[in-house]
Amino acid sequence: MTDAETVRQHALALPRAVEREVARSVRFRVGSLVFVALSRDEQAMGFGFPREERDALVASAPEVFFLPPARDLRYRWVCAHLAPLDDAEARELVTDAWRMCVPQMLHDLPELPAPAATAWSLIDEGDLGEVRHLLHPHLHWQDRSVLLRGREHVLAHLRAHPRPRPPDRVEVREGQVYRWVRD
């Protein structure tokens, strides 16, 4: 069984996601695109979902999933009661809805180990001071043709080139990103 707080934690852990209150209900968005919204009573959520697949989803578990109000059927959106969902299902629904709103290059970030996804989010926000403790002192950084060794060299590079792409693979040692590779 999941709840609104669990949905909130999953949504806010995703890169570029922000929480906003609109008309007394909570919405999670990336830029101007809403990917999850909690009902006012926080017992249900709406989430981004492919329009052509939503009827099948609702038919597969009508006690869990339901269509949004008629005025919202034009959107790629479906709704779910939170109580029948377990945390893993909620995480998957929230993550898939988030993927509908972000560039393709970010789709694999939730699958990376926690320090790597958090590090990339901080780098993407330009918060290099906070990212420092997530990077191993002997970090191996490969961003296509750029090869760097050492946390301080990488941070200097990021100050000069502040918009790297997320990694394809990482290695974590001692809770810090030890290897960052983008092919």
Side-chain angles (χ1 to χ4, degrees):
M1 182 170 136
T2 197
D3 59 13
E5 189 55 36
T6 302
V7 170
R8 179 177 280 107
Q9 290 171 3
H10 293 325
L12 292 177
L14 296 166
R16 299 184 180 175
V18 295
E19 179 179 344
R20 296 284 184 261
E21 187 172 325
V22 178
R24 296 188 320 255
S25 67
V26 174
R27 313 261 166 99
F28 299 94
R29 60 178 63 223
V30 173
S32 63
L33 300 175
V34 175
F35 65 96
V36 170
L38 294 171
S39 62
R40 289 181 182 165
D41 66 1
E42 297 191 343
Q43 298 302 307
M45 72 173 177
F47 55 96
F49 195 81
R51 215 179 287 123
E52 57 279 356
E53 297 175 25
R54 71 179 169 199
D55 288 335
L57 178 68
V58 171
S60 72
E63 67 285 352
V64 178
F65 300 105
F66 58 99
L67 292 174
R71 69 180 180 274
D72 294 335
L73 287 174
R74 63 186 170 170
Y75 301 114
R76 299 176 349 163
W77 200 253
V78 73
C79 302
H81 299 288
L82 294 178
L85 292 174
D86 66 31
D87 289 350
E89 289 173 306
R91 175 181 291 129
E92 183 178 346
L93 294 170
V94 169
T95 301
D96 288 347
W98 169 83
R99 284 184 175 122
M100 292 175 66
C101 298
V102 296
Q104 178 75 33
M105 71 175 183
L106 302 181
H107 284 201
D108 293 333
L109 279 175
E111 312 309 323
L112 293 175
T118 303
W120 191 86
S121 292
L122 291 168
I123 291 168
D124 187 48
E125 294 167 7
D127 195 348
L128 298 181
E130 287 297 313
V131 79
R132 188 176 195 286
H133 72 278
L134 296 172
L135 304 177
H136 195 279
H138 304 292
L139 174 65
H140 294 246
W141 177 281
Q142 179 186 345
D143 191 349
R144 299 210 173 182
S145 62
V146 177
L147 298 169
L148 299 169
R149 289 251 346 228
R151 175 174 53 205
E152 298 309 319
H153 288 115
V154 170
L155 290 171
H157 173 77
L158 291 173
R159 284 185 197 93
H161 304 89
R163 299 298 275 175
R165 303 285 187 163
D168 297 318
R169 321 183 285 286
V170 297
E171 179 182 339
V172 175
R173 289 189 185 172
E174 301 164 6
Q176 295 177 311
V177 178
Y178 178 76
R179 189 173 311 275
W180 177 291
V181 179
R182 184 174 83 92
D183 298 320

